[in-house]
Amino acid sequence: MEKREEVVSRLRGVPEGLPSVEEVRARLAADPSLKCVVCYARISFDGRVKDAHGIEDQHRDMAGDAAKLGWLVVYRYTDNDKSASKESVIRDDFEQLINDLKAGTTPEGYPIHGVMAVNDDRLYRRPSDWERYLKAFTAHEDRVYHDSNGVQDLYAEGFEIKGLVGVAMSLSETRKKQRRTRNSHRSRAIRGKSVAAWRPFGWDDDRVTLRPKEAEAIRKAVHDVIAGASISEITRQWKEAGFITSRGNLFQYQTVKQVLLNARLCGYREVRGELVRDGDDQPIVGEWEAIITPKEWYAVTATIRERGRGTGLPRGGLVHKYLLTGILRCGHVFEDGTVCNNKMIGIKANGWVKYEHAYMCKKTVDGGCNKTYKRGDKTDKAIERLVIAKLKQEAEAAAQEVPEWDKGDDLDRAVQSRKALEGRWHEGEIDDETFFRNLPALEARVKELRADQADYLAKKAAAEAAREDIAASWESKTLTQRRELIKKAVHAIVALPGGKGNKAFDPELLKPVWRSAG
């Protein structure tokens, strides 16, 4: 079966078998009544199959109509899967059509005597596009236009206004449909119904029951991210496991992030980033099976968003091969008393030694001193033992019960105040000015308290996770997770040189610089 990109490419540009520009111009000289026309096809949504059948059908119909009229199709413009009613959407082929109409020829030099479309709303749905199209079309005389209503005279008096009325009606109908869709979507959400257009990753085709392997992958990813794993690492794991999105694509950083941030994971419903709540201001639970608990969802969303603050860039793009690369610092002291302090790098060890990797200070040409070298496996084990002991000590303190959230009554009062204000407004007891003057403060208070509640739930989930046996779970953690835990425990680890000669490994030459409890 032909791929969508191949179909779209085939339906763009000069039709196959068209005579050369010189031959066409010779035919025009012999038959001045011949019309060289261009065809424009567009569809807003290519469907779940994504096979471009919509635009293919349009071009086939236009080719048939052109043959009946004795017109010669010299160029085809195609915008697949693109809306004409959204200002943010750029239709590349429509823009090219406008430019070519102004120029009077196609990019290859074929003259343009007219335009064909299956319906005028394929070409334009906004007044500005209609005005641009009409101006470009009428830039040259005696052009023809054909759509489902037959041949139309765009030069006729009053046609510009007629077109604007048609555009306005089309735009009004589009907005009505959008409002009905939004209202229907929210109504279904309030009833806890699944409204996903595609099968969500983790669930079966009914969007209710779980797909065990996918659900387990999500559950593990959530726990790993809370424990320090990067989204880049999760993305790599899912690719290696052969997982694909519901639309049949490979997972990328952003798609994995979207999966993990989706409130559907814990059974909640969201509309435009806000949890859908019932009359008692409680999150509505959907009809589908949940993969994780609400506390886990709050914790993973808080973790991901906290990482994104500051730079705005995805975190975890660089995945290190060795545990202590960049964490170890060279402790060699120069003759003037200064310390090298360069970050040490991990390297593959020589083939004749028993260990696989080592850490060394960079060469002098790279800014280091090349004086400190450490055996990799024993250095990793020594630091892991120290860090695990430190983390166990901190976990005991962190495992103390997080104080209960004491602002629940404040949130209830804020919600009730907002509902009371809305009730008085609906009953006509207060006017619009009074309502909208007081509403922002109440909404801001509710939003502030909900954010504080979400922060509390995230901290509570993190405290419960801290109760796990650090030593027992260490081996199951990924390299990135271990590095994150080490960096939480230390600012750096200073590696002192072992001196000349082949000496036994001495863990006392590794000096962790611990982070304070604060």
Side-chain angles (χ1 to χ4, degrees):
M1 185 176 180
E2 198 174 5
K3 292 183 179 178
R4 180 173 72 160
E5 292 75 13
E6 296 172 352
V7 174
V8 174
S9 178
R10 176 168 54 78
L11 296 174
R12 277 197 175 113
V14 178
E16 186 177 355
L18 184 69
S20 67
V21 175
E22 292 74 17
E23 291 175 293
V24 169
R25 291 192 179 275
R27 288 178 59 180
L28 285 169
D31 181 10
S33 65
L34 177 65
K35 297 293 185 182
C36 295
V37 297
V38 296
C39 295
Y40 179 82
R42 180 191 65 81
I43 193 167
S44 298
F45 180 58
D46 191 20
R48 298 183 182 182
V49 180
K50 289 192 175 293
D51 58 0
H53 67 275
I55 56 168
E56 191 169 29
D57 293 343
Q58 291 180 36
H59 277 299
R60 183 178 60 249
D61 293 344
M62 287 186 286
D65 290 337
K68 292 176 184 177
L69 294 165
W71 295 352
L72 181 65
V73 177
V74 296
Y75 203 86
R76 295 179 296 189
Y77 302 87
T78 302
D79 282 315
N80 189 50
D81 219 4
K82 289 189 176 182
S83 170
S85 58
K86 296 179 181 178
E87 292 185 19
S88 58
V89 176
I90 302 299
R91 294 184 288 151
D92 296 324
D93 274 31
F94 177 75
E95 296 300 326
Q96 184 185 337
L97 171 62
I98 296 294
N99 292 332
D100 292 349
L101 284 173
K102 292 176 183 177
T105 63
T106 69
E108 290 74 18
Y110 291 98
I112 301 177
H113 300 140
V115 177
M116 300 186 73
V118 292
N119 283 300
D120 56 4
D121 64 359
R122 298 301 89 198
L123 279 162
Y124 44 80
R125 275 185 174 270
R126 294 185 293 125
S128 58
D129 285 342
W130 158 245
E131 292 172 351
R132 291 169 59 217
Y133 169 71
L134 184 62
K135 184 177 180 180
F137 184 93
T138 56
H140 296 264
E141 297 294 331
D142 299 325
R143 280 177 169 165
V144 293
Y145 172 69
H146 182 277
D147 62 14
S148 58
N149 294 315
V151 180
Q152 313 247 5
D153 182 6
L154 271 59
Y155 301 92
E157 185 177 352
F159 198 89
E160 182 174 0
I161 297 175
K162 179 182 177 182
L164 282 173
V165 171
V167 170
M169 292 177 64
S170 176
L171 190 59
S172 175
E173 185 60 30
T174 297
R175 288 174 176 168
K176 283 182 182 177
K177 288 180 181 178
Q178 289 173 344
R179 281 197 299 272
R180 286 197 296 266
T181 299
R182 285 197 300 267
N183 292 339
S184 173
H185 189 89
R186 183 166 185 83
S187 296
R188 288 174 59 83
I190 290 173
R191 296 197 305 272
K193 298 291 184 180
S194 176
V195 294
W198 300 86
R199 177 189 73 81
F201 182 74
W203 283 268
D204 221 324
D205 292 331
D206 62 4
R207 299 167 178 77
V208 175
T209 56
L210 298 179
R211 285 198 176 182
K213 289 185 178 180
E214 293 180 359
E216 182 55 36
I218 291 174
R219 195 175 294 113
K220 181 179 183 301
V222 166
H223 295 163
D224 287 348
V225 168
I226 293 173
S230 68
I231 294 180
S232 293
E233 191 167 17
I234 302 301
T235 305
R236 177 179 56 78
Q237 291 174 356
W238 285 10
K239 285 182 177 179
E240 290 177 353
F243 289 121
I244 57 175
T245 69
S246 301
R247 301 192 184 192
N249 302 316
L250 289 175
F251 273 103
Q252 304 298 328
Y253 181 96
Q254 286 299 333
T255 47
V256 172
K257 183 178 178 181
Q258 289 168 6
V259 169
L260 299 182
L261 289 175
N262 194 343
R264 168 181 256 273
L265 298 184
C266 68
Y268 289 168
R269 279 290 293 118
E270 280 182 301
V271 172
R272 296 188 176 187
E274 294 287 337
L275 290 179
V276 181
R277 298 175 181 272
D278 59 20
D280 296 322
D281 205 50
Q282 296 302 310
I284 289 176
V285 178
E287 63 183 356
W288 55 88
E289 295 182 53
I291 295 177
I292 58 176
T293 66
K295 282 192 293 186
E296 290 171 328
W297 178 73
Y298 279 114
V300 74
T301 53
T303 301
I304 293 172
R305 285 167 181 157
E306 182 65 30
R307 292 176 183 178
R309 290 174 187 163
T311 63
L313 298 173
R315 180 176 180 271
L318 178 62
V319 179
H320 289 286
K321 188 175 181 180
Y322 302 110
L323 183 67
L324 300 174
T325 297
I327 300 175
L328 283 176
R329 287 184 175 269
C330 176
H332 172 70
V333 180
F334 294 107
E335 292 182 359
D336 62 0
T338 60
V339 179
C340 175
N341 198 39
N342 265 283
K343 290 182 178 180
M344 296 176 65
I345 59 173
I347 60 171
K348 185 176 180 180
N350 293 319
W352 60 80
V353 297
K354 296 181 179 179
Y355 48 93
E356 296 181 353
H357 71 284
Y359 299 101
M360 62 172 288
C361 184
K362 297 177 183 178
K363 297 180 180 179
T364 53
V365 294
D366 296 322
C369 68
N370 200 29
K371 296 293 185 181
T372 304
Y373 177 96
K374 295 295 177 184
R375 174 173 174 167
D377 58 345
K378 290 191 174 182
T379 300
D380 290 348
K381 290 297 180 185
I383 297 303
E384 284 176 338
R385 282 195 295 270
L386 291 173
V387 168
I388 288 172
K390 174 74 172 178
L391 292 176
K392 287 178 70 175
Q393 180 183 4
E394 292 180 350
E396 291 174 2
Q400 294 180 3
E401 198 66 38
V402 176
E404 287 299 318
W405 192 57
D406 58 359
K407 297 180 181 179
D409 291 341
D410 294 341
L411 178 58
D412 289 339
R413 280 194 295 270
V415 171
Q416 292 304 319
S417 296
R418 185 185 62 186
K419 289 174 67 175
L421 181 69
E422 290 173 343
R424 293 178 64 196
W425 180 53
H426 287 305
E427 293 296 326
E429 297 177 13
I430 57 175
D431 58 21
D432 292 350
E433 193 277 334
T434 303
F435 174 69
F436 287 107
R437 173 163 43 85
N438 289 280
L439 182 62
L442 291 174
E443 287 185 329
R445 179 59 175 162
V446 170
K447 186 175 182 179
E448 176 190 354
L449 288 167
R450 282 178 178 164
D452 190 72
Q453 183 185 42
D455 183 59
Y456 156 75
L457 291 171
K459 288 179 179 177
K460 188 171 183 179
E464 290 175 358
R467 292 191 178 98
E468 67 175 348
D469 188 335
I470 301 294
S473 65
W474 186 269
E475 292 302 320
S476 65
K477 295 187 183 300
T478 65
L479 181 70
T480 301
Q481 288 175 292
R482 295 183 194 182
R483 283 179 56 84
E484 288 299 316
L485 289 171
I486 290 172
K487 287 190 286 187
K488 284 181 180 178
V490 302
H491 290 289
I493 299 163
V494 179
L496 302 175
K500 296 182 179 180
N502 190 11
K503 296 184 178 179
F505 177 81
D506 184 0
E508 295 298 321
L509 297 177
L510 299 172
K511 305 293 183 181
V513 182
W514 300 108
R515 293 183 184 272
S516 64

